[in-house]
Amino acid sequence: MTATHQGDGTTAVRAGLPEPVKYEPTLPGPVFAAHFHLPGEPTGPYTYGRDENPTWTHLERAIGELEAPGETVETVTFASGMAAISAVLMSQLKAGDAVVMPDDGYQVLPLVHEQLRAFGVEVRTAPTGGDAQAALLDGARLLWIETPSNPGLDVCDVRRLADAAHAAGALVAVDNTLATPLGQRPLELGADFSVASDTKGMTGHGDILLGHVTCRDPRLAAGVRRWRKIVGAIPGPMEAWLAHRSLATLQLRADRQSANALAVAQALSGRAEVSGLRHPGLPTDPSHRIAAGQMRRFGCVVSFCLPDRVHAERFLEGLRLVEGATSFGGVRSTAERRGRWGGDAVPEGFIRFSAGAEDGEDLVADVLRALDEAVPTA
């Protein structure tokens, strides 16, 4: 079986491992070093801790193997997902350029829009659904896609948008945080950059902040790496090592979480008090057809609305197996009322639910019980 045709589990378990050396660990421990022995001319791979680190190297190779199995790509890791996002934007855009971004994406994007405009970049926005960003590509330097969108879970056709963007002379970046490379491979769909917050599903335990950018084009990767060097948004070696260790269970986690999310969504679909239910894996979801054509797993997140804020808060307080937290993609299920942050254009009763790796029957039972107890009494 060649590397190109290995299963996802095999790839995840073995990704980025160095060649075996007798008496050495399979995955070398984290390298803590601000500087390295450097006599003579600095021609080696490791010179200074802000530039490169052997622990990053193993992790970046691993992520690259997951993003594009059997291909040559370059991955650059960062201290957080926002550091990775910023690196693509800041390395590719200058005053006078135009960028097309979603208006329904991650909560921090409006702050990014504000900063880009302050730098003289024209920011055009449109919804993710309906491939609406395609209408804004004329003269743009970069198209930024987030699919499925967070938290609304809309999906756009990456292939179609990438083709349209390239025809218009624009580069394409896809925020693949929610899907992970096991759910969707943006580079295969035509993107120039695959970007993610690895804080979420990639590392999956809610204990690491990390991000990455993967490119096929070495020149684009060099620009991203240069930006990391300039701002110093580097991952710690311990975080990088923990992330690499966590990748080994990515396929196990992704399969269980996706199955649990679909089971929860199906259970919610029969509840009269639930509206606006979204999960790309539901055959009735408005995005299902497009998602099925480009996603291999539909992800761990379900979004829905309860009648009002009070009802939503009663539901969340009644959950016993689900933690109240603002992240997603972890082995322990989480949920929150997104309106409490004030940054998302969602109703007060909007819930973002992230299915973990618990037994599906237990998780569904907990959700249904909490819904029953949240119904107002006469």
Side-chain angles (χ1 to χ4, degrees):
M1 182 180 286
T2 65
T4 304
H5 297 96
Q6 285 180 345
D8 288 341
T10 303
T11 300
V13 166
R14 304 207 59 81
L17 296 181
E19 289 298 317
V21 176
K22 192 173 184 178
Y23 306 126
E24 293 294 321
T26 304
L27 177 61
V31 175
F32 298 97
H35 59 269
F36 301 82
H37 288 296
L38 200 64
E41 294 299 314
T43 57
Y46 305 110
T47 58
Y48 184 60
R50 192 181 69 249
D51 297 333
E52 294 293 344
N53 179 290
T55 311
W56 306 349
T57 300
H58 295 314
L59 174 62
E60 289 172 347
R61 288 175 182 166
I63 293 174
E65 290 171 23
L66 292 167
E67 287 276 10
E71 296 187 41
T72 299
V73 295
E74 292 193 29
T75 295
V76 186
T77 51
F78 289 87
S80 69
M82 280 309 303
I85 289 170
S86 298
V88 174
L89 295 170
M90 298 305 178
S91 68
Q92 301 304 315
L93 298 171
K94 64 181 184 305
D97 285 342
V99 60
V100 179
M101 303 190 75
D103 63 11
D104 55 350
Y106 178 50
Q107 184 189 50
V108 182
L109 286 186
L111 298 179
V112 174
H113 300 167
E114 180 182 325
Q115 190 63 60
L116 288 173
R117 291 184 175 113
F119 289 153
V121 175
E122 179 188 353
V123 179
R124 307 169 185 169
T125 63
T128 298
D131 299 343
Q133 291 171 286
L136 305 179
L137 291 170
D138 187 35
R141 164 67 178 164
L142 177 68
L143 168 64
W144 188 274
I145 296 170
E146 184 180 306
T147 181
S149 63
N150 172 29
L153 302 184
D154 264 330
V155 171
C156 59
D157 188 329
V158 177
R159 289 186 187 91
R160 179 188 173 215
L161 286 174
D163 287 345
H166 290 151
L171 295 169
V172 179
V174 175
D175 184 334
N176 200 42
T177 299
L178 197 145
T180 81
L182 295 198
Q184 182 172 263
R185 292 193 174 122
L187 300 184
E188 291 181 0
L189 299 172
D192 301 290
F193 304 90
S194 180
V195 189
S197 168
D198 301 320
T199 307
K200 313 299 194 299
M202 282 285 275
T203 58
H205 291 78
D207 54 7
I208 302 170
L209 290 176
L210 202 77
H212 82 267
V213 178
T214 301
C215 314
R216 279 201 181 93
D217 188 334
R219 294 170 300 176
L220 296 177
V224 170
R225 188 172 287 106
R226 179 176 180 271
W227 183 257
R228 181 180 69 178
K229 177 184 178 76
I230 290 170
V231 299
I234 59 173
M238 190 67 197
E239 285 78 4
W241 185 85
L242 287 170
H244 196 167
R245 179 209 59 177
S246 298
L247 291 182
T249 61
L250 177 57
Q251 183 258 346
L252 300 173
R253 291 184 280 108
D255 281 350
R256 182 63 165 262
Q257 291 163 317
S258 295
N260 281 351
L262 181 58
V264 168
Q266 290 169 335
L268 291 170
S269 67
R271 302 289 301 208
E273 71 271 40
V274 171
S275 63
L277 175 64
R278 299 298 303 269
H279 178 66
L282 279 175
T284 55
D285 189 273
S287 294
H288 180 72
R289 182 186 61 81
I290 294 174
Q294 65 189 25
M295 298 184 72
R296 299 158 56 243
R297 293 171 177 84
F298 296 110
C300 63
V301 179
V302 180
S303 67
F304 59 98
C305 289
L306 292 174
D308 52 42
R309 173 176 177 167
V310 172
H311 197 130
E313 289 177 345
R314 281 200 302 264
F315 164 69
L316 293 170
E317 290 168 2
L319 292 166
R320 296 171 185 165
L321 298 180
V322 182
E323 299 173 356
T326 191
S327 195
F328 61 85
V331 291
R332 290 174 290 278
S333 294
T334 60
E336 71 167 337
R337 191 181 64 82
R338 286 298 293 176
R340 64 181 177 168
W341 299 102
D344 296 308
V346 296
E348 284 293 305
F350 182 96
I351 301 291
R352 185 181 69 185
F353 187 101
S354 172
E358 299 89 354
D359 286 308
E361 297 84 355
D362 294 337
L363 191 58
V364 169
D366 191 44
V367 168
L368 293 179
R369 180 197 49 74
L371 283 173
D372 288 339
E373 294 177 0
V375 174
T377 56

